[in-house]
């Protein structure tokens, strides 16, 4: 859309349109071009971390609380980027299960959470790399650090879930870094809410048979639950209250 056309159609000044376009562009909802704006591809676009952190908060809390049960004191774990993984890190660090754990992460917000702890009982290793819109560190530097280590469990978010393909990200470098994390983990757990089944992304980072546990919420429709259950080793459905129901 051109600024002049939007100004005329909406009955507002060109300056107002430009300001609104800038706002939407900052949120990753469109792309500014000379004289107007164009839509961002649903395959490639990803909102900023600050925008995503305000979305589906109740669902992320329930999923995160369930995921904490998969960590034992003294574990060495990896936590990927994204807001659901960040909420998981928040709940984990507030629990007794975080005692003596080591966290490998490519998430700047997760690393900052650990750094802010008064107790230094948790060790954090940050991968380094190139920063994405989701405040994740990705690319060859991150992958090289990851490949030299080993963890018990990796906890990853996902931008979209494709049946029957698997789990996808809009950023191919981020997908590669998630794959590197899975490659050093004894167990892979995906944390994602039901809305991700209706999204589309560019880069596949995991097939269903590569994932040990998928934790989502009971907002997922019955047909998707049935199909997903056939593909993944363990499917856990949570309620917004934080209660969980296992589906094998």
């Amino acid at each position: 859309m051109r600024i002049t056309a939007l100004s005329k159609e909406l009955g507002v000044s060109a300056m107002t349109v430009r300001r609104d376009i800038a706002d939407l562009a900052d949120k990753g909802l469109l792309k500014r071009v000379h004289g107007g704006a164009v839509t961002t591809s649903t395959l490639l676009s990803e909102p900023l971390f600050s925008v995503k952190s305000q979305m589906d908060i109740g669902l992320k809390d329930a999923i995160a609380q369930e995921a904490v049960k998969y960590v034992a004191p003294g574990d060495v774990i990896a936590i990927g980027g994204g807001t659901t993984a960040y909420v998981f890190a928040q709940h984990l660090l507030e629990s007794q299960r975080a005692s003596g754990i080591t966290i490998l992460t490519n998430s700047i917000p997760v690393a900052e959470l650990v750094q802010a702890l008064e107790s230094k009982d948790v060790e954090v290793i940050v991968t380094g790399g190139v920063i994405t819109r989701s405040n994740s560190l990705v690319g060859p530097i991150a992958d090289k650090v990851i490949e030299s280590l080993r963890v018990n469990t990796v906890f990853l978010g996902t931008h979209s879930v494709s049946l029957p393909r698997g789990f996808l990200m809009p950023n191919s470098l981020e997908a590669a870094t998630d794959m590197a994390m899975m490659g050093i983990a004894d167990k892979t757990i995906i944390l994602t809410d039901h809305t991700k089944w209706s999204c589309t992304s560019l880069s596949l980072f995991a097939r269903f048979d590569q994932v040990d546990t998928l934790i989502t919420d009971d907002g997922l429709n019955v047909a998707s639950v049935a199909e997903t259950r056939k593909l993944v080793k363990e499917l856990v459905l949570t309620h917004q209250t934080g209660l969980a129901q296992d589906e094998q």
Side-chain angles (χ1 to χ4, degrees):
M1 295 290 292
R2 297 196 63 81
I3 289 173
T4 50
L6 285 169
S7 176
K8 182 177 179 182
E9 183 176 341
L10 299 174
V12 297
S13 70
M15 183 62 73
T16 297
V17 174
R18 286 193 186 92
R19 186 168 57 246
D20 290 344
I21 285 175
D23 242 3
L24 294 169
D26 286 344
K27 294 177 180 177
L29 301 175
L30 52 75
K31 181 180 178 181
R32 279 185 291 181
V33 295
H34 181 68
V38 296
T39 182
T40 51
S41 166
T42 56
L43 291 174
L44 298 174
S45 62
E46 183 175 17
L48 294 169
F49 184 91
S50 58
V51 175
K52 291 198 296 181
S53 63
Q54 302 304 313
M55 300 163 68
D56 304 310
I57 295 171
L59 300 179
K60 292 173 184 175
D61 270 331
I63 292 165
Q65 288 171 37
E66 181 63 23
V68 169
K69 299 175 184 177
Y70 289 80
V71 181
D75 272 355
V76 179
I77 67 170
I79 301 177
T83 53
T84 306
Y86 175 76
V87 175
F88 159 66
Q90 286 180 310
H91 284 285
L92 175 61
L93 294 173
E94 291 169 357
S95 76
Q96 296 299 315
R97 292 175 180 265
S99 176
I101 67 170
T102 298
I103 298 173
L104 168 67
T105 188
N106 68 323
S107 167
I108 294 173
V110 169
E112 289 175 340
L113 271 180
V114 180
Q115 188 64 25
L117 286 177
E118 290 184 12
S119 166
K120 296 303 177 185
D121 195 28
V122 179
E123 182 178 352
V124 63
I125 302 169
V126 184
T127 64
V130 179
I131 303 176
T132 69
R133 290 178 62 84
S134 61
N135 281 2
S136 300
L137 297 163
V138 301
I141 294 173
D143 299 349
K144 190 171 182 64
V145 170
I146 292 166
E147 288 163 4
S148 68
L149 301 170
R150 189 80 192 170
V151 300
N152 302 123
T153 309
V154 60
F155 297 85
L156 298 171
T158 183
H159 187 267
S160 63
V161 181
S162 173
L163 295 169
R165 291 184 66 207
F167 306 91
L168 302 100
M169 301 296 287
N171 184 320
S172 59
L173 288 178
E174 190 161 8
T177 298
D178 283 349
M179 290 170 66
M181 283 194 175
M182 290 173 58
I184 66 161
D186 296 329
K187 187 172 186 178
T188 296
I189 298 178
I190 300 288
L191 315 176
T192 186
D193 65 78
H194 74 274
T195 64
K196 303 300 171 50
W197 270 255
S198 60
C199 298
T200 306
S201 294
L202 178 69
S203 300
L204 183 76
F205 70 88
R207 302 186 311 272
F208 281 96
D209 62 3
Q210 294 175 299
V211 173
D212 296 282
T213 301
L214 171 57
I215 304 177
T216 186
D217 63 272
D218 59 2
L220 188 61
N221 66 66
V222 174
S224 294
V225 168
E227 190 171 354
T228 302
R229 189 187 301 154
K230 294 175 185 176
L231 297 168
V232 75
K233 296 171 188 173
E234 180 187 27
L235 175 64
V236 179
L237 302 180
T238 66
H239 304 286
Q240 270 191 278
T241 56
L243 301 175
Q245 170 186 342
D246 288 347
E247 297 288 338
Q248 298 290 342

